[in-house]
PDB file of all heavy atoms in Angstrom:
ATOM      1  N   ALA F 184     -11.567 -15.344  -9.869  1.00 98.00           N
ATOM      2  CA  ALA F 184     -11.390 -16.803  -9.898  1.00 98.00           C
ATOM      3  C   ALA F 184     -12.570 -17.432  -9.150  1.00 98.00           C
ATOM      4  O   ALA F 184     -12.694 -17.262  -7.932  1.00 98.00           O
ATOM      5  CB  ALA F 184     -10.076 -17.196  -9.264  1.00 98.00           C
ATOM      6  N   GLU F 185     -13.436 -18.137  -9.882  1.00 98.00           N
ATOM      7  CA  GLU F 185     -14.652 -18.685  -9.282  1.00 98.00           C
ATOM      8  C   GLU F 185     -14.569 -20.178  -9.015  1.00 98.00           C
ATOM      9  O   GLU F 185     -15.349 -20.707  -8.228  1.00 98.00           O
ATOM     10  CB  GLU F 185     -15.853 -18.394 -10.198  1.00 98.00           C
ATOM     11  CG  GLU F 185     -16.119 -16.896 -10.355  1.00 98.00           C
ATOM     12  CD  GLU F 185     -17.413 -16.599 -11.064  1.00 98.00           C
ATOM     13  OE1 GLU F 185     -17.803 -17.403 -11.939  1.00 98.00           O
ATOM     14  OE2 GLU F 185     -18.045 -15.570 -10.730  1.00 98.00           O
ATOM     15  N   LYS F 186     -13.632 -20.847  -9.661  1.00 98.00           N
ATOM     16  CA  LYS F 186     -13.529 -22.292  -9.518  1.00 98.00           C
ATOM     17  C   LYS F 186     -12.105 -22.711  -9.826  1.00 98.00           C
ATOM     18  O   LYS F 186     -11.484 -22.172 -10.745  1.00 98.00           O
ATOM     19  CB  LYS F 186     -14.509 -22.963 -10.504  1.00 98.00           C
ATOM     20  CG  LYS F 186     -14.498 -24.482 -10.494  1.00 98.00           C
ATOM     21  CD  LYS F 186     -15.487 -24.996 -11.551  1.00 98.00           C
ATOM     22  CE  LYS F 186     -15.463 -26.518 -11.632  1.00 98.00           C
ATOM     23  NZ  LYS F 186     -16.391 -27.029 -12.688  1.00 98.00           N
ATOM     24  N   LEU F 187     -11.575 -23.639  -9.052  1.00 98.00           N
ATOM     25  CA  LEU F 187     -10.254 -24.179  -9.334  1.00 98.00           C
ATOM     26  C   LEU F 187     -10.398 -25.414 -10.222  1.00 98.00           C
ATOM     27  O   LEU F 187     -11.372 -26.158 -10.116  1.00 98.00           O
ATOM     28  CB  LEU F 187      -9.521 -24.527  -8.039  1.00 98.00           C
ATOM     29  CG  LEU F 187      -9.226 -23.341  -7.108  1.00 98.00           C
ATOM     30  CD1 LEU F 187      -8.545 -23.822  -5.837  1.00 98.00           C
ATOM     31  CD2 LEU F 187      -8.364 -22.291  -7.800  1.00 98.00           C
ATOM     32  N   LEU F 188      -9.421 -25.630 -11.093  1.00 98.00           N
ATOM     33  CA  LEU F 188      -9.430 -26.771 -12.006  1.00 98.00           C
ATOM     34  C   LEU F 188      -8.420 -27.814 -11.546  1.00 98.00           C
ATOM     35  O   LEU F 188      -7.361 -27.460 -11.001  1.00 98.00           O
ATOM     36  CB  LEU F 188      -9.089 -26.303 -13.420  1.00 98.00           C
ATOM     37  CG  LEU F 188      -9.973 -25.181 -13.992  1.00 98.00           C
ATOM     38  CD1 LEU F 188      -9.477 -24.783 -15.382  1.00 98.00           C
ATOM     39  CD2 LEU F 188     -11.427 -25.602 -14.038  1.00 98.00           C
ATOM     40  N   TYR F 189      -8.719 -29.077 -11.785  1.00 98.00           N
ATOM     41  CA  TYR F 189      -7.863 -30.175 -11.317  1.00 98.00           C
ATOM     42  C   TYR F 189      -7.654 -31.178 -12.446  1.00 98.00           C
ATOM     43  O   TYR F 189      -8.536 -31.377 -13.293  1.00 98.00           O
ATOM     44  CB  TYR F 189      -8.496 -30.883 -10.115  1.00 98.00           C
ATOM     45  CG  TYR F 189      -8.709 -29.965  -8.930  1.00 98.00           C
ATOM     46  CD1 TYR F 189      -9.877 -29.204  -8.822  1.00 98.00           C
ATOM     47  CD2 TYR F 189      -7.744 -29.833  -7.945  1.00 98.00           C
ATOM     48  CE1 TYR F 189     -10.073 -28.336  -7.761  1.00 98.00           C
ATOM     49  CE2 TYR F 189      -7.924 -28.975  -6.873  1.00 98.00           C
ATOM     50  CZ  TYR F 189      -9.086 -28.218  -6.787  1.00 98.00           C
ATOM     51  OH  TYR F 189      -9.275 -27.371  -5.732  1.00 98.00           O
ATOM     52  N   ASP F 190      -6.484 -31.832 -12.436  1.00 97.00           N
ATOM     53  CA  ASP F 190      -6.235 -32.892 -13.419  1.00 97.00           C
ATOM     54  C   ASP F 190      -6.759 -34.227 -12.889  1.00 97.00           C
ATOM     55  O   ASP F 190      -7.387 -34.287 -11.822  1.00 97.00           O
ATOM     56  CB  ASP F 190      -4.745 -32.973 -13.774  1.00 97.00           C
ATOM     57  CG  ASP F 190      -3.855 -33.363 -12.597  1.00 97.00           C
ATOM     58  OD1 ASP F 190      -4.375 -33.871 -11.572  1.00 97.00           O
ATOM     59  OD2 ASP F 190      -2.624 -33.167 -12.696  1.00 97.00           O
ATOM     60  N   GLY F 191      -6.492 -35.289 -13.610  1.00 97.00           N
ATOM     61  CA  GLY F 191      -7.007 -36.596 -13.228  1.00 97.00           C
ATOM     62  C   GLY F 191      -6.462 -37.142 -11.925  1.00 97.00           C
ATOM     63  O   GLY F 191      -7.054 -38.049 -11.326  1.00 97.00           O
ATOM     64  N   LYS F 192      -5.353 -36.545 -11.460  1.00 96.00           N
ATOM     65  CA  LYS F 192      -4.755 -36.996 -10.200  1.00 96.00           C
ATOM     66  C   LYS F 192      -5.184 -36.135  -9.021  1.00 96.00           C
ATOM     67  O   LYS F 192      -4.708 -36.334  -7.899  1.00 96.00           O
ATOM     68  CB  LYS F 192      -3.229 -36.977 -10.315  1.00 96.00           C
ATOM     69  CG  LYS F 192      -2.675 -37.910 -11.376  1.00 96.00           C
ATOM     70  CD  LYS F 192      -1.154 -37.809 -11.447  1.00 96.00           C
ATOM     71  CE  LYS F 192      -0.595 -38.711 -12.538  1.00 96.00           C
ATOM     72  NZ  LYS F 192       0.892 -38.582 -12.644  1.00 96.00           N
ATOM     73  N   GLY F 193      -6.073 -35.158  -9.273  1.00 97.00           N
ATOM     74  CA  GLY F 193      -6.524 -34.283  -8.194  1.00 97.00           C
ATOM     75  C   GLY F 193      -5.588 -33.132  -7.902  1.00 97.00           C
ATOM     76  O   GLY F 193      -5.715 -32.461  -6.875  1.00 97.00           O
ATOM     77  N   THR F 194      -4.659 -32.874  -8.814  1.00 97.00           N
ATOM     78  CA  THR F 194      -3.723 -31.765  -8.645  1.00 97.00           C
ATOM     79  C   THR F 194      -4.310 -30.507  -9.284  1.00 97.00           C
ATOM     80  O   THR F 194      -4.804 -30.554 -10.416  1.00 97.00           O
ATOM     81  CB  THR F 194      -2.380 -32.090  -9.318  1.00 97.00           C
ATOM     82  OG1 THR F 194      -1.840 -33.287  -8.725  1.00 97.00           O
ATOM     83  CG2 THR F 194      -1.398 -30.939  -9.136  1.00 97.00           C
ATOM     84  N   VAL F 195      -4.252 -29.406  -8.564  1.00 98.00           N
ATOM     85  CA  VAL F 195      -4.797 -28.161  -9.101  1.00 98.00           C
ATOM     86  C   VAL F 195      -3.977 -27.755 -10.328  1.00 98.00           C
ATOM     87  O   VAL F 195      -2.743 -27.799 -10.323  1.00 98.00           O
ATOM     88  CB  VAL F 195      -4.792 -27.056  -8.024  1.00 98.00           C
ATOM     89  CG1 VAL F 195      -3.379 -26.665  -7.600  1.00 98.00           C
ATOM     90  CG2 VAL F 195      -5.584 -25.839  -8.487  1.00 98.00           C
ATOM     91  N   CYS F 196      -4.692 -27.393 -11.405  1.00 98.00           N
ATOM     92  CA  CYS F 196      -3.988 -27.109 -12.663  1.00 98.00           C
ATOM     93  C   CYS F 196      -4.542 -25.873 -13.353  1.00 98.00           C
ATOM     94  O   CYS F 196      -4.398 -25.716 -14.569  1.00 98.00           O
ATOM     95  CB  CYS F 196      -4.054 -28.314 -13.589  1.00 98.00           C
ATOM     96  SG  CYS F 196      -5.730 -28.776 -14.085  1.00 98.00           S
ATOM     97  N   GLY F 197      -5.192 -24.994 -12.596  1.00 98.00           N
ATOM     98  CA  GLY F 197      -5.689 -23.768 -13.185  1.00 98.00           C
ATOM     99  C   GLY F 197      -6.931 -23.265 -12.484  1.00 98.00           C
ATOM    100  O   GLY F 197      -7.250 -23.692 -11.365  1.00 98.00           O
ATOM    101  N   ALA F 198      -7.640 -22.367 -13.142  1.00 98.00           N
ATOM    102  CA  ALA F 198      -8.838 -21.782 -12.539  1.00 98.00           C
ATOM    103  C   ALA F 198      -9.795 -21.329 -13.632  1.00 98.00           C
ATOM    104  O   ALA F 198      -9.384 -20.987 -14.745  1.00 98.00           O
ATOM    105  CB  ALA F 198      -8.469 -20.602 -11.649  1.00 98.00           C
ATOM    106  N   GLU F 199     -11.062 -21.330 -13.276  1.00 98.00           N
ATOM    107  CA  GLU F 199     -12.098 -20.754 -14.128  1.00 98.00           C
ATOM    108  C   GLU F 199     -12.311 -19.318 -13.657  1.00 98.00           C
ATOM    109  O   GLU F 199     -12.645 -19.097 -12.492  1.00 98.00           O
ATOM    110  CB  GLU F 199     -13.378 -21.567 -14.000  1.00 98.00           C
ATOM    111  CG  GLU F 199     -14.400 -21.300 -15.070  1.00 98.00           C
ATOM    112  CD  GLU F 199     -15.538 -22.308 -15.026  1.00 98.00           C
ATOM    113  OE1 GLU F 199     -15.402 -23.395 -15.633  1.00 98.00           O
ATOM    114  OE2 GLU F 199     -16.547 -22.001 -14.362  1.00 98.00           O
ATOM    115  N   VAL F 200     -12.110 -18.369 -14.545  1.00 98.00           N
ATOM    116  CA  VAL F 200     -12.081 -16.960 -14.166  1.00 98.00           C
ATOM    117  C   VAL F 200     -13.173 -16.203 -14.916  1.00 98.00           C
ATOM    118  O   VAL F 200     -13.301 -16.316 -16.141  1.00 98.00           O
ATOM    119  CB  VAL F 200     -10.699 -16.341 -14.465  1.00 98.00           C
ATOM    120  CG1 VAL F 200     -10.689 -14.863 -14.119  1.00 98.00           C
ATOM    121  CG2 VAL F 200      -9.609 -17.077 -13.689  1.00 98.00           C
ATOM    122  N   HIS F 201     -13.944 -15.429 -14.168  1.00 98.00           N
ATOM    123  CA  HIS F 201     -15.030 -14.640 -14.747  1.00 98.00           C
ATOM    124  C   HIS F 201     -14.587 -13.200 -14.934  1.00 98.00           C
ATOM    125  O   HIS F 201     -14.145 -12.540 -13.992  1.00 98.00           O
ATOM    126  CB  HIS F 201     -16.252 -14.685 -13.837  1.00 98.00           C
ATOM    127  CG  HIS F 201     -17.424 -13.898 -14.350  1.00 98.00           C
ATOM    128  ND1 HIS F 201     -18.091 -14.237 -15.510  1.00 98.00           N
ATOM    129  CD2 HIS F 201     -18.026 -12.774 -13.883  1.00 98.00           C
ATOM    130  CE1 HIS F 201     -19.063 -13.370 -15.723  1.00 98.00           C
ATOM    131  NE2 HIS F 201     -19.043 -12.468 -14.763  1.00 98.00           N
TER     132      HIS F 201
END
Side-chain angles (χ1 to χ4, degrees):
E185 297 189 328
K186 179 182 177 182
L187 297 178
L188 305 178
Y189 300 87
D190 64 16
K192 298 179 182 178
T194 301
V195 65
C196 62
E199 195 170 274
V200 178
H201 180 65

